[in-house]
Amino acid sequence: MSRQTRVLSASLGASLALALLGACTGHTDDDGSEKQRPGVSTGTVIGGTPKKGGTLTVLSDQDFAHLDPARNWVMPTMDFGSRLLYRTLTTFKSAPGKAGSEIVPDLATDLGRPSDGGRTWTFTLKPGLKYEDGTPIRAQDVKYNVERSFAPDLAGGPDYAQRYLAGAKGYTGPLQGKHLDSIRTPDDRTIVFRLRRPVAEFSYTVTLPTFSPVPASREKGVQYDLRPFSSGPYRIDTYERGKKLVLVRNPHWDPATDQVRKAYPDRIVVQQGLKRGQIDDRIIASSGADASAVEWSDMDPASIAKVLPRPEVKKRLAAERTGCTDMLALNTSRAPFDNLKLRQAMQYAVDKSAQVTANGGPALNDIATGYLPPSLTGVRRADFLYGRSATGDVEKARKLLAEGGRPSGFAATITVSTGDKTRAEALQQSLSRVGVRLRIQTVDPSVYYDTIGDTEHAPDMAISGWCPDYPSGSTFLPFVFDGRTIREKGNQGNVSQFRDKAVEKRMDEIAAMSDAGRANQAWIDLDPTIQRKSPAVPLLWPRKPLLAGDNIAGAFGHPVWTGQFDFAVLGLKDPAKSRG
């Protein structure tokens, strides 16, 4: 998701430093002043330094969407895969706060060497890198995984390779024996990428799972999801989809080549298909194996009252900013939201304070006043295009509805995951104030984005969100609002199906800027331009509340992977007490 030495300009480095510093402080009031966040602390490590050994248990209400590194583009799952099962050319430091957003070499010896004005990037692999069976990791394997990310059958993963690599138009992957000329491997340890335009932050791009190795001999197509071949510290022992995943040590992972992963536990067990509230209760109680457990999904908002009043439990709660923006996506491809006035009416009709309450309260949420999160801007926007009131403005909403030809409102559908039903009900209530009659449809979290990503059958509204893959507006606004990214099936970011030629033209102009600092400011300036066209209502800048058991050590929410626990350094206080 969301994330300097070298190619990044000094101006961009300064802006990112401000953004990352802002991500670790208190919350901001409407007048721009900072306030101490109630109830939770951030930037701290729960439980001290782990000891080696034992079994770490992860309690989850869902299966992973994808573990195949070519398809893995859900932020917490990218954390899990990239920290435990596969390594990438570069990666993020393992640290809370702004230090965690710094990149370091991983498989590569350095952060890459740009040439040709940033259009060519060369990486050299470290010597002695091995897979789980002891065979060497080769540059050709990284090339192969990047190429397989183009295969239509392996859709859903990061598409930076498709966006950045030269000569990639029309390419459909290596399964038919065709390869990309824009990726060269002169020898087993050297890989060279030729890009269609300069990309100053390409060192950050190659932190994504797309840039991890997969040997062609291990290719299994869609079945690779079930058994990725490990280049990381753990390998898959058993995996029953939706039930249980067990990881054990990869004996050929060499910690001397890895400055980030500590691999404290001997074994990691992910129990899936549990209920969120029950997971919270088990970890709050921390009895038996649950003392050595962490939760995968956010703590249920209903559990806040069980945690904050109890200091001995609250100290085991991590609640880092996700770096993401939650939005109410409005389907602009058809009525009623092909009408600008009706879309703008929704900006005033939504009660954002009710969204805060439904999502766990002010301890875990800030009200979003723009699309770009503070991790990319450093501060809240000061313009408040649609008013300062957190509860909305019913009169202005009614006026816009009348101007749009719907003075009495209209009926609409909203699709949300089962965990967001309370938020949908809060929206239903606030929109009813202006005559919008909202029908709620819920789907399982594991298929939520597949459901709302089916453009032909997409609902009128959906609660959606986006998290930058690294600290640049280029990883946010184009994915959410560029009409050229819309896909008939598996439509990932532009849930609003928003198409606007002027916005697309400006995005292309910004992407072509060679000065990264100037481009960064241009993305920030584009935010209110898109807001005026209102393809989505910014709702929340949330935090990720996660509980750790009483025997957990080294736990903190990582600033890049939406505040998910950093599995690179997670472990146990006393391994002898663990079971599972």
Side-chain angles (χ1 to χ4, degrees):
M1 153 177 134
S2 281
R3 316 21 121 171
Q4 245 156 83
T5 49
R6 334 146 14 133
V7 173
L8 289 186
S9 69
S11 58
L12 177 58
S15 67
L16 295 188
L18 284 171
L20 296 170
L21 179 63
C24 302
T25 57
H27 69 292
T28 314
D29 200 7
D30 281 353
D31 61 5
S33 61
E34 288 286 332
K35 289 187 174 182
Q36 184 62 39
R37 175 163 297 282
V40 296
S41 59
T42 63
T44 57
V45 178
I46 296 169
T49 302
K51 294 180 180 177
K52 196 160 189 173
T55 296
L56 169 70
T57 300
V58 182
L59 303 180
S60 178
D61 64 336
Q62 60 192 267
D63 197 354
F64 302 107
H66 296 291
L67 285 178
D68 183 335
R71 310 182 72 185
N72 187 350
W73 205 9
V74 176
M75 294 312 302
T77 310
M78 284 204 286
D79 170 19
F80 189 88
S82 298
R83 293 314 214 187
L84 301 176
L85 291 173
Y86 28 82
R87 299 174 64 179
T88 46
L89 290 174
T90 65
T91 193
F92 292 94
K93 281 187 175 181
S94 183
K98 68 176 181 178
S101 295
E102 298 175 24
I103 54 171
V104 294
D106 191 2
L107 291 175
T109 57
D110 56 27
L111 298 181
R113 300 178 298 282
S115 57
D116 188 24
R119 289 179 174 84
T120 300
W121 284 78
T122 302
F123 297 85
T124 301
L125 301 191
K126 296 170 182 173
L129 300 169
K130 295 179 180 179
Y131 291 108
E132 63 178 80
D133 66 348
T135 56
I137 296 171
R138 306 177 309 146
Q140 293 89 336
D141 303 336
V142 178
K143 171 181 168 74
Y144 183 77
N145 190 43
V146 176
E147 290 177 335
R148 65 195 294 274
S149 73
F150 285 77
D153 288 345
L154 303 180
D159 63 357
Y160 290 89
Q162 291 90 322
R163 290 168 175 262
Y164 291 167
L165 288 174
K169 187 175 181 180
Y171 181 65
T172 57
L175 302 184
Q176 306 302 320
K178 295 182 179 180
H179 298 280
L180 282 171
D181 293 336
S182 51
I183 309 176
R184 294 190 297 107
T185 53
D187 55 58
D188 285 353
R189 290 182 52 210
T190 305
I191 185 166
V192 183
F193 298 94
R194 183 167 55 88
L195 310 180
R196 66 179 65 178
R197 63 172 178 81
V199 179
E201 68 265 21
F202 197 66
S203 295
Y204 285 83
T205 305
V206 298
T207 63
L208 293 165
T210 314
F211 299 90
S212 64
V214 171
S217 62
R218 295 284 172 169
E219 180 63 77
K220 294 182 179 177
V222 296
Q223 296 302 312
Y224 195 78
D225 246 345
L226 301 175
R227 187 61 174 80
F229 193 55
S230 177
S231 55
Y234 295 89
R235 62 178 178 83
I236 293 177
D237 184 36
T238 60
Y239 187 14
E240 293 180 85
R241 292 297 306 253
K243 294 181 180 180
K244 189 176 185 181
L245 170 71
V246 178
L247 304 183
V248 295
R249 291 191 182 278
N250 169 10
H252 297 285
W253 169 76
D254 183 357
T257 69
D258 194 334
Q259 62 178 295
V260 173
R261 300 165 186 83
K262 302 303 180 185
Y264 288 115
D266 290 331
R267 194 165 174 258
I268 299 173
V269 177
V270 183
Q271 297 179 2
Q272 300 171 335
L274 307 173
K275 294 186 181 300
R276 283 173 70 190
Q278 292 175 355
I279 293 172
D280 297 341
D281 290 343
R282 286 174 58 173
I283 296 183
I284 289 170
S286 278
S287 176
D290 292 341
S292 302
V294 296
E295 59 186 359
W296 175 258
S297 299
D298 296 10
M299 181 178 68
D300 194 286
S303 297
I304 291 287
K306 303 176 185 178
V307 174
L308 295 187
R310 300 173 60 183
E312 76 281 6
V313 178
K314 189 176 75 172
K315 70 180 182 180
R316 298 191 272 115
L317 172 66
E320 296 298 326
R321 269 190 179 143
T322 64
C324 310
T325 303
D326 277 8
M327 295 169 264
L328 177 63
L330 308 175
N331 188 343
T332 65
S333 70
R334 63 168 189 253
F337 295 124
D338 56 353
N339 183 318
L340 174 60
K341 294 292 185 181
L342 300 185
R343 298 199 302 269
Q344 291 174 330
M346 296 304 97
Q347 302 280 3
Y348 291 109
V350 171
D351 181 346
K352 295 184 182 181
S353 66
Q355 287 297 297
V356 170
T357 301
N359 206 48
L364 299 178
N365 301 274
D366 286 324
I367 288 175
T369 56
Y371 298 131
L372 290 174
S375 60
L376 294 184
T377 64
V379 294
R380 277 193 177 216
R381 294 204 58 83
D383 43 22
F384 295 91
L385 291 181
Y386 293 102
R388 288 177 174 268
S389 174
T391 60
D393 189 322
V394 171
E395 291 309 311
K396 286 185 177 179
R398 285 175 175 162
K399 182 175 182 293
L400 285 163
L401 285 171
E403 291 175 6
R406 299 287 189 99
S408 300
F410 51 83
T413 60
I414 185 171
T415 296
V416 296
S417 70
T418 50
D420 279 334
K421 186 180 180 184
T422 301
R423 295 181 63 184
E425 290 170 343
L427 284 168
Q428 186 180 53
Q429 183 172 351
S430 64
L431 296 184
S432 70
R433 300 179 301 175
V434 297
V436 175
R437 302 171 297 283
L438 200 57
R439 184 167 64 88
I440 299 170
Q441 304 168 151
T442 62
V443 297
D444 187 81
S446 64
V447 297
Y448 177 61
Y449 279 98
D450 289 337
T451 302
I452 65 173
D454 182 346
T455 56
E456 184 180 353
H457 302 101
D460 300 317
M461 302 183 188
I463 293 180
S464 181
W466 196 257
C467 314
D469 290 302
Y470 48 84
S472 169
S474 66
T475 71
F476 196 102
L477 293 180
F479 290 91
V480 183
F481 299 120
D482 188 337
R484 296 163 296 186
T485 68
I486 298 170
R487 301 175 183 175
E488 184 178 342
K489 302 283 186 182
N491 185 39
Q492 292 280 335
N494 194 342
V495 177
S496 299
Q497 299 185 49
F498 177 65
R499 294 175 170 88
D500 187 282
K501 294 299 183 184
V503 168
E504 292 167 10
K505 180 175 182 289
R506 184 54 180 159
M507 287 179 176
D508 289 343
E509 293 169 348
I510 299 171
M513 292 179 182
S514 57
D515 184 320
R518 180 169 161 251
N520 187 62
Q521 184 59 51
W523 290 120
I524 293 172
D525 294 340
L526 183 59
D527 187 331
T529 299
I530 300 174
Q531 282 189 64
R532 291 184 182 96
K533 305 189 181 203
S534 199
V537 179
L539 296 177
L540 302 175
W541 289 319
R543 292 177 179 259
K544 191 174 186 69
L546 295 169
L547 283 167
D550 196 46
N551 193 35
I552 292 294
F556 61 86
H558 198 281
V560 169
W561 289 293
T562 64
Q564 178 62 274
F565 285 133
D566 188 350
F567 285 91
V569 293
L570 202 55
L572 307 173
K573 295 178 185 176
D574 183 355
K577 291 183 178 179
S578 68
R579 293 179 287 151

